[in-house]
Amino acid sequence: MTDGAAARRARRPRPFFFGISLLHILVLGAAAGGGFPQWNSNDPVARRARAGDVMTRPRTQSSIAVSTDRKKWVLFNASPDLRQQINENHQLQPTADSPLRASPIAAVVLTNADVDHVAGLLNLRESQKFAVYGHDRVLDVLTRNSIFNVLNPDFVARLPMPLDTDLALRDGNNEDLEVRVRAFAVPGKVALWLEDKNAKNFGTADGDTIGLEIMDGSGSSFFYIPACAQMTPELAARLRGAALVFFDGTLWRDDEMIAASVGTKTGGRMGHMSCDGDQGSIAAFAGLNVQRKIFIHINNTNPLFVANSPERAIAKAAGWQVAEDGMEIDL
Ligand code: MLT
Ligand code: MN
């Protein structure tokens, strides 16, 4: 993309009608795969989180919800913790005047086939109408794994989300949700559980990892990029001047899991750029004039989870926030 999201944004009308904000964003889960604390983690920080230390608040796995009317919500990724997220966020629960079976969840948009992004679909069985959007590469994964047939095709539409195309999202009754998305490929990797060890780049193809620009009809727009391996010039041009970007905060430093003796992989090997370092996201965003930058999809080893850590102070000084479950933003 060269013509620039910034130019497109500038052409749009102002983001407010009569002072009413139109894009409502709710962070459902700020952690990466495994959540925080991860089920088998006995790290000191995990122990503090379990003990209720307010400096190390727990986070569920990676997902946000977006609505323009606060009645119908679009999930961006379906986390394995979705049932908990619904129970903790009244916005996603049936209201007093709903029918006996009802849900405000009108659509789910998938950014990749990570376990932390698709497993939650299995919570949404029960013949409730909604739509699932994904790139063909990700929809193919659902087709090939018959467990996803628990989403009865008579009720749940699976709809392709082509790259670099403005798409108006619809609910399971084909009604316009007044949320638009533009999907774009970002550097990344096929989901860990789909890696082909014998293939070049583990069998990764365009569409395996996407970023999204999420828009309403009035000109509000923000970016949701929970996985990204590298800041390319194209991506930088796209993000320049954005009002808000949620960005991959998986690791603070590339070798963090190795240094902590809890893993053998670098962030680069996992398809995630790190926050810190010359090639890291904090440096990459430094000149981009993004108005609000929020790390999301944060791994349990990342010191950003400790609210008074030196790393959190560095991120804050560079203008970054750390997503928390339940965080709400109106654009
Ligand atoms: C990732 O973001 O790299 C994956 O969620 C890793 C995993 O599947 O555990
Ligand atoms: Mn993930």
Side-chain angles (χ1 to χ4, degrees), residues 36-38 41-59:
F36 173 70
Q38 184 172 288
S41 172
N42 202 22
D43 298 334
V45 174
R47 297 187 69 83
R48 283 172 60 186
R50 288 194 192 100
D53 182 341
V54 294
M55 287 294 154
T56 57
R57 275 204 282 267
R59 311 292 206 284

Side-chain angles (χ1 to χ4, degrees), residues 45-329:
V45 174
R47 297 187 69 83
R48 283 172 60 186
R50 288 194 192 100
D53 182 341
V54 294
M55 287 294 154
T56 57
R57 275 204 282 267
R59 311 292 206 284
T60 61
Q61 292 168 80
S62 186
S63 175
I64 63 170
V66 174
S67 175
T68 50
D69 62 4
R70 294 185 186 276
K71 294 191 176 91
K72 292 183 178 180
W73 288 82
V74 181
L75 302 189
F76 288 85
N77 292 315
S79 144
D81 300 322
L82 180 54
R83 183 175 176 280
Q84 178 185 343
Q85 293 167 344
I86 293 169
N87 287 339
E88 287 176 358
N89 291 282
H90 66 88
Q91 298 90 330
L92 302 185
Q93 301 165 5
T95 53
D97 56 357
S98 301
L100 283 176
R101 293 290 178 273
S103 170
I105 298 172
V108 182
V109 179
L110 303 170
T111 62
N112 63 17
D114 277 6
V115 173
D116 44 324
H117 289 164
V118 300
L121 289 173
L122 302 179
N123 286 294
L124 301 180
R125 62 194 193 279
E126 314 299 354
S127 299
Q128 188 69 42
K129 275 195 172 179
F130 66 99
V132 177
Y133 289 88
H135 187 272
D136 282 344
R137 287 279 295 177
V138 174
L139 294 184
D140 281 353
V141 173
L142 305 185
T143 306
R144 281 186 276 120
N145 286 272
S146 52
I147 194 167
F148 290 106
N149 293 343
V150 296
L151 299 179
N152 182 342
D154 291 341
F155 294 87
V156 182
R158 296 183 189 180
L159 301 167
M161 183 170 56
L163 296 177
D164 302 307
T165 306
D166 268 15
L167 186 65
L169 300 181
R170 298 183 165 273
D171 68 9
N173 293 314
N174 205 27
E175 281 176 25
D176 190 351
L177 291 166
E178 290 173 24
V179 177
R180 307 175 68 81
V181 295
R182 172 177 282 258
F184 49 92
V186 292
K189 189 181 65 58
V190 70
L192 172 63
W193 62 284
L194 295 166
E195 285 185 3
D196 177 351
K197 302 270 182 302
N198 301 314
K200 186 170 166 268
N201 202 12
F202 308 105
T204 303
D206 256 13
D208 280 333
T209 305
I210 60 160
L212 290 169
E213 185 175 8
I214 301 169
M215 304 158 273
D216 66 8
S218 79
S220 290
S221 119
F222 73 101
F223 290 87
Y224 174 57
I225 309 174
C228 182
Q230 198 195 340
M231 179 64 77
T232 61
E234 293 77 18
L235 181 58
R238 195 185 286 278
L239 300 182
R240 190 177 298 280
L244 168 65
V245 179
F246 286 95
F247 198 76
D248 185 341
T250 308
L251 299 185
W252 177 255
R253 50 180 260 208
D254 197 47
D255 64 351
E256 160 183 318
M257 301 205 317
I258 300 166
S261 305
V262 296
T264 56
K265 287 181 187 162
T266 60
R269 166 64 183 83
M270 296 191 298
H272 298 290
M273 64 193 287
S274 306
C275 306
D276 195 29
D278 292 350
Q279 303 300 314
S281 42
I282 292 178
F285 273 77
L288 295 186
N289 194 28
V290 172
Q291 290 164 46
R292 194 163 178 189
K293 302 170 284 193
I294 304 180
F295 283 124
I296 200 161
H297 189 282
I298 303 158
N299 193 55
N300 69 91
T301 52
N302 191 327
L304 285 180
F305 275 141
V306 182
N308 55 357
S309 65
E311 292 83 358
R312 179 77 82 92
I314 292 169
K316 188 174 176 202
W320 284 86
Q321 288 178 274
V322 175
E324 298 204 25
D325 294 14
M327 186 180 204
E328 288 183 78
I329 297 173

